[in-house]
Amino acid sequence: MILSTTKELRLHIPSNAIDEISSLQGILDNSEKDFLRDKLGDSLYNRLCEYYQTVSPDDFYMAVCNGENTQHPWMQLLLMAQRMVTYDAMSRFVYTQALSINGTGINVASSDDYGTASKDLLDKGVQGYKREAMVSLNQMLVMLEGWAKKCVKKQASDVQKTAESIPNTDNSVPNTDNSVPNTDESVQTTEIKEITNLWKESQYYYLHHDLLIATCADLQHYLDIYESREKFIRLLPDLHFIQDEYISEAIGEDTVQRLLHTDDPADKPLLRKVRRLMVAHLEERTTILTIDKARRAAAHNEAISLRSSVLQLMEMRKAAAAANNTPDKPSTNTTDSTSKGYENNQPNSKIFVSPLLY
């Protein structure tokens, strides 16, 4: 569990009047297992639970109130995770809590201190909790993505500094293992690295190396999904199908692999067109996004046009490559004017050649 006091609950639902958190433990636990764990991955989720056991809930509450939690990545992650779980649990809790089960039947629960909520207000409350749960999820994934990108940049910088500082006289590869933090590395950076390494095991890790559209930000350039990381993850099966069945069939698996790993600026025009082709197929195929019939038909026509454009661009690239790589002229056996030609009186020579008279 990552939430155990009403103080922590009040950080996210200030209007609650719950006296004992134990009445919510089952619902909170279900939300953790069903809504949070797969987003973090088992390793990061278990590590977060372990971290929560080392922190006093009262100290955590005060750290959030005075802003000290922003200096501790584990606290930031814990706060985001609690918010997700709380809103999701409330969306599950509202309807069931409105009913009171007793030995003779089921009644509507009410309180003498508060007026009874109408069905319309209950519906709006549940939808609001669901919406806030998804907002909290996206905020957490954006935060984790930012940390992961920070780690990638730092690792690249450390590798470059190591290569520049150590002369490589024996052509050996410098040691770039960053599993052990440097002595001058801050605790904050160490925590971010630990969180990121554990998050890589989750399917919600932001970078998918095997896709031409590898991140939510990549897809957002071509299709507005409101930068929803959760929606991008749900689109992954469609993207994998499109790349495997449509793109690889059109341009070849070798070209796909080259585009996945290339840093050549000359490949960017082709990559852009291929991504647009993938997005056109995505709009035509997916059921995750709300796309009307007219747009699906337009996407189908765009996919046909883009496929033709991609193939035409590939033919132009092949022609340009062939023109730049013309075969060398065949060598001849004739000797030029500077050649000495045959020399007489050589060992084991049995002939004599007269010198040229011109």
Side-chain angles (χ1 to χ4, degrees):
M1 296 289 293
I2 59 169
L3 195 154
S4 60
T5 66
T6 54
K7 276 187 176 182
E8 295 168 285
L9 187 64
R10 197 164 289 113
L11 288 171
H12 314 288
I13 311 289
S15 61
N16 86 83
I18 297 173
D19 297 323
E20 294 293 335
I21 198 71
S22 58
S23 63
L24 287 177
Q25 288 293 353
I27 298 174
L28 290 170
D29 186 62
N30 282 343
S31 291
E32 282 190 30
K33 301 298 191 299
D34 185 54
F35 187 57
L36 174 66
R37 182 167 59 181
D38 63 328
K39 311 315 187 286
L40 297 178
D42 288 341
S43 297
L44 181 54
Y45 171 74
N46 292 333
R47 178 68 183 86
L48 182 63
C49 291
E50 292 175 4
Y51 171 77
Y52 184 68
Q53 297 302 317
T54 67
V55 179
S56 166
D58 291 335
D59 291 343
F60 173 70
Y61 175 83
M62 292 305 301
V64 173
C65 291
N66 59 33
E68 291 181 4
N69 67 302
T70 58
Q71 304 301 319
H72 304 280
W74 277 111
M75 280 193 178
Q76 294 182 63
L77 179 60
L78 177 60
L79 181 66
M80 290 288 190
Q82 284 186 346
R83 188 170 299 158
M84 280 178 55
V85 169
T86 299
Y87 282 124
D88 183 69
M90 289 299 104
S91 69
R92 300 167 185 250
F93 172 79
V94 168
Y95 286 131
T96 56
Q97 186 64 12
L99 301 177
S100 176
I101 302 175
N102 54 60
T104 59
I106 300 176
N107 300 67
V108 177
S110 63
S111 171
D112 295 335
D113 298 330
Y114 300 93
T116 303
S118 65
K119 182 181 183 303
D120 183 61
L121 189 58
L122 283 175
D123 291 340
K124 289 182 178 179
V126 169
Q127 292 305 314
Y129 288 136
K130 288 181 178 179
R131 182 172 57 252
E132 290 304 314
M134 298 308 297
V135 170
S136 300
L137 166 60
N138 201 59
Q139 288 177 346
M140 186 188 73
L141 293 177
V142 169
M143 180 182 70
L144 289 170
E145 181 178 330
W147 287 348
K149 290 179 179 179
K150 181 179 180 180
C151 286
V152 170
K153 290 181 180 179
K154 187 177 187 309
Q155 185 176 12
S157 176
D158 290 344
V159 170
Q160 184 177 3
K161 289 179 180 178
T162 302
E164 292 175 351
S165 61
I166 301 177
N168 193 11
T169 56
D170 58 352
N171 295 325
S172 61
V173 179
N175 181 18
T176 60
D177 183 13
N178 294 319
S179 58
V180 180
N182 298 326
T183 55
D184 60 343
E185 193 172 38
S186 68
V187 175
Q188 186 177 25
T189 303
T190 304
E191 290 185 3
I192 288 176
K193 184 182 293 186
E194 181 185 7
I195 292 170
T196 298
N197 288 337
L198 292 172
W199 188 44
K200 287 180 181 179
E201 301 178 22
S202 169
Q203 64 172 336
Y204 278 77
Y205 184 65
Y206 86 103
L207 183 61
H208 298 267
H209 292 282
D210 57 342
L211 278 174
L212 293 171
I213 299 178
T215 67
C216 176
D218 289 338
L219 181 58
Q220 184 66 33
H221 283 306
Y222 303 94
L223 182 65
D224 186 11
I225 59 170
Y226 303 99
E227 298 187 358
S228 171
R229 272 65 183 171
E230 187 270 344
K231 189 167 291 185
F232 173 73
I233 296 300
R234 294 169 61 199
L235 289 170
L236 287 179
D238 283 326
L239 290 172
H240 278 290
F241 180 89
I242 290 166
Q243 181 169 303
D244 294 341
E245 300 299 328
Y246 297 155
I247 305 303
S248 295
E249 187 271 337
I251 66 177
E253 184 63 29
D254 291 342
T255 304
V256 170
Q257 292 301 316
R258 187 177 76 246
L259 292 177
L260 284 172
H261 303 100
T262 185
D263 291 325
D264 189 352
D267 288 327
K268 288 186 177 180
L270 178 59
L271 179 59
R272 283 196 298 268
K273 280 188 175 293
V274 170
R275 283 176 170 173
R276 289 193 179 100
L277 176 57
M278 289 183 67
V279 169
H281 282 304
L282 181 66
E283 290 185 281
E284 181 186 8
R285 167 187 169 81
T286 188
T287 59
I288 303 300
L289 305 176
T290 303
I291 300 173
D292 58 37
K293 186 176 180 180
R295 177 55 203 156
R296 289 185 187 275
H300 174 76
N301 295 333
E302 289 174 4
I304 295 174
S305 176
L306 284 165
R307 177 187 171 97
S308 176
S309 179
V310 167
L311 295 177
Q312 183 179 5
L313 179 58
M314 290 186 64
E315 289 299 324
M316 293 172 58
R317 286 162 56 95
K318 289 180 181 178
N324 293 332
N325 296 310
T326 54
D328 295 335
K329 295 181 179 180
S331 59
T332 61
N333 294 328
T334 58
T335 57
D336 55 28
S337 58
T338 61
S339 175
K340 294 182 179 179
Y342 182 80
E343 297 183 5
N344 293 312
N345 301 322
Q346 296 296 317
N348 299 323
S349 175
K350 296 182 180 180
I351 63 175
F352 178 85
V353 178
S354 300
L356 295 177
L357 301 178
Y358 56 90

